[in-house]
């Protein structure tokens, strides 16, 4: 029996997220799903683990750039093991670990028949949770650190949402490259514990959002260079404050908008500091490089090498059985969430 966490419309409350159109509810329910026949260019995979990412929640809410035709199995990321291969499959073999090349495969299920070209292999000697969470957040972090500014050892990057999955990956990849990271988080009762945890994985500085607007931020820049790069996953005032502290000609890259507020750019930052305001979406990067698998492979190899060296670990995770999906979805939508929910199949 193949189980999948299926998303569909209903006009009656169930386990649901209210759709912003106010016309219907989107429901997630565990159901039996059909398994397609194994074709010559297909692989049968057993899903091992799949995270619940903010983008998954946005997709359920109908606010994401990719919306599946309903009903559809949820989940855009995860790791699976190849159980059987079609007669024409060349790049994969039984026992290989694979992850989706792109979003929309529906990873919240126990098994699936997928096209060989829709997945890419990973070494199966890295931790399961690292593999399950590799395809989105670490890829986003690596690309943003690589593609917008020429960062050298000793340079600085500043980011908000520093305790997010992307934020934790940024911290670790930056540390591995000798880059200082200034990490901004919202104030909370357990700030000290969070700061210690982020510093333990390589954060150079951890500060509260309020500190960006206070004079003491100048003291920090006496011991740490002003950042060439700012990474914005929040939007609103938080993004504006990041911009204010960029070097002349620096870049702010927006990859998320958790505050659901627009990014406001001060005219002075554009005129007098010539800052660059950019956006990044890893799904678009994958689409742009879909005909060049080598680019994706090189990126995954770099990340896997960091994992094997102990320089890149998975974010804090809570493992939840697929049968308990409702608890995982509830937890994933809570504010100040520090642990990523991982569905274990």
């Amino acid at each position: 029996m193949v189980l999948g966490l299926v998303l569909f419309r209903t006009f009656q409350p169930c386990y649901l997220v209210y759709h912003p159109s106010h016309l219907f509810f989107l429901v997630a329910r565990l159901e039996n799903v059909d398994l397609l026949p194994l074709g010559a260019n297909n692989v049968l995979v057993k899903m091992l683990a799949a995270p619940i990412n903010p983008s998954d929640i946005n997709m359920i809410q109908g606010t994401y750039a990719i919306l599946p035709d309903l009903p559809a199995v949820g989940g855009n990321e995860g790791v699976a093991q190849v159980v059987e291969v079609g007669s024409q499959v060349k790049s994969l073999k039984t026992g290989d670990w694979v992850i989706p090349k792109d979003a929309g495969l529906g990873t919240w299920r126990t098994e699936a028949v997928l096209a060989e070209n829709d997945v890419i292999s990973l070494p199966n000697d890295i931790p399961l949770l690292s593999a399950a969470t590799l395809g989105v957040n670490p890829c986003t972090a690596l690309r943003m650190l690589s593609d917008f500014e020429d960062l050298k050892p000793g340079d600085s990057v500043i980011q908000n949402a520093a305790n997010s999955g992307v934020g934790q990956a940024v911290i670790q990849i930056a540390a591995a490259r000798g880059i200082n990271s200034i990490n901004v988080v919202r104030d909370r009762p357990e700030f000290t514990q969070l700061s210690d945890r982020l510093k333990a994985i390589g954060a150079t500085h951890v500060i509260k959002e309020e500190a960006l607007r206070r004079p003491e931020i100048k003291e920090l820049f006496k011991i740490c260079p002003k950042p060439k790069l700012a990474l914005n996953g929040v939007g609103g005032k938080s993004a504006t404050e990041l911009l204010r502290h960029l070097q002349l000609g620096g870049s702010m890259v927006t990859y998320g908008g958790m505050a659901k507020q627009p990014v406001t750019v001060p005219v002075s930052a554009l005129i007098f500091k010539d800052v660059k305001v950019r956006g990044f979406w890893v799904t678009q990067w994958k689409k742009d490089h879909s005909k060049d698998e080598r680019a994706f492979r090189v990126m995954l190899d770099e990340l896997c090498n960091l994992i094997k060296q102990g320089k890149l670990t998975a974010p804090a995770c809570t493992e939840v059985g697929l049968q308990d999906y409702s608890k995982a979805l509830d937890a994933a939508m809570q504010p100040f969430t520090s642990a990523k929910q991982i569905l274990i199949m």
Side-chain angles (χ1 to χ4, degrees), residues 64 79 81 89 152 170 197 244 256 274 280 284 298 301 335:
Y64 200 58
V79 63
Q81 186 172 41
V89 172
K152 299 286 197 303
V170 165
R197 181 161 61 83
R244 294 185 192 280
D274 191 27
F280 181 77
Q284 188 62 52
V298 167
D301 286 348

Side-chain angles (χ1 to χ4, degrees), residues 86-267:
S87 59
Q88 300 298 315
V89 172
K90 304 297 183 186
S91 64
L92 301 169
K93 64 183 184 302
T94 301
D96 282 351
W97 279 12
V98 295
I99 63 172
K101 286 184 180 178
D102 204 350
L105 278 190
T107 56
W108 298 345
R109 65 173 96 191
T110 55
E111 291 182 86
V113 171
L114 304 172
E116 176 187 13
N117 291 333
D118 285 342
V119 294
I120 189 168
S121 63
L122 289 182
N124 58 12
D125 58 350
I126 62 174
L128 178 66
L129 296 183
S130 293
T133 58
L134 187 63
V136 176
N137 293 335
C139 291
T140 297
L142 188 145
R143 293 265 58 91
M144 293 193 300
L145 287 170
S146 303
D147 295 351
F148 295 93
E149 290 289 339
D150 183 18
L151 297 175
K152 299 286 197 303
D155 287 339
S156 298
V157 58
I158 189 169
Q159 64 167 344
N160 53 27
N163 59 317
S164 67
V166 171
Q168 292 178 58
V170 165
I171 288 169
Q172 295 176 85
I173 297 169
R177 294 180 174 186
I179 298 165
N180 298 300
S181 63
I182 303 166
N183 301 279
V184 183
V185 297
R186 291 177 293 178
D187 194 11
R188 62 196 69 204
E190 68 278 12
F191 171 80
T192 300
Q193 296 94 309
L194 174 59
S195 175
D196 290 345
R197 181 161 61 83
L198 295 181
K199 288 179 178 178
I201 63 171
T204 314
H205 303 282
V206 182
I207 61 176
K208 300 174 184 177
E209 281 197 348
E210 294 76 15
L212 290 173
R213 297 183 283 275
R214 292 176 180 163
E216 54 261 35
I217 192 68
K218 295 180 181 178
E219 297 301 312
L220 187 151
F221 292 127
K222 291 179 180 179
I223 59 174
C224 181
K226 278 207 162 190
K228 288 183 177 179
L229 180 67
L231 304 177
N232 168 43
V234 177
K237 293 180 180 179
S238 178
T240 305
E241 293 300 330
L242 293 186
L243 266 174
R244 294 185 192 280
H245 299 295
L246 276 175
Q247 281 188 22
L248 182 71
S251 297
M252 184 177 78
V253 182
T254 293
Y255 67 91
M258 289 188 287
K260 294 182 171 59
Q261 296 173 354
V263 173
T264 302
V265 181
V267 172

Side-chain angles (χ1 to χ4, degrees), residues 69-81:
D69 294 329
L70 300 177
V73 176
N76 294 295
E77 185 183 25
V79 63
Q81 186 172 41

Side-chain angles (χ1 to χ4, degrees), residues 266-343:
V267 172
S268 60
L270 294 173
I271 297 175
F272 303 121
K273 296 182 70 175
D274 191 27
V275 297
K276 300 178 285 291
V277 181
R278 303 288 302 277
F280 181 77
W281 184 30
V282 74
T283 298
Q284 188 62 52
W285 185 92
K286 291 175 180 177
K287 289 183 185 299
D288 292 343
H289 294 82
S290 60
K291 295 182 179 179
D292 178 17
E293 184 172 313
R294 185 177 177 277
F296 196 12
R297 170 56 63 195
V298 167
M299 177 170 62
L300 291 180
D301 286 348
E302 180 175 351
L303 292 170
C304 288
N305 285 335
L306 289 175
I307 292 169
K308 291 178 180 180
Q309 294 168 24
K311 296 179 179 179
L312 178 63
T313 60
C317 295
T318 299
E319 300 178 41
V320 182
L322 183 61
Q323 299 281 357
D324 293 324
Y325 69 90
S326 60
K327 294 179 182 178
L329 285 170
D330 282 337
M333 289 189 283
Q334 297 304 310
F336 297 102
T337 299
S338 294
K340 184 176 290 292
Q341 303 296 305
I342 307 289
L343 297 172

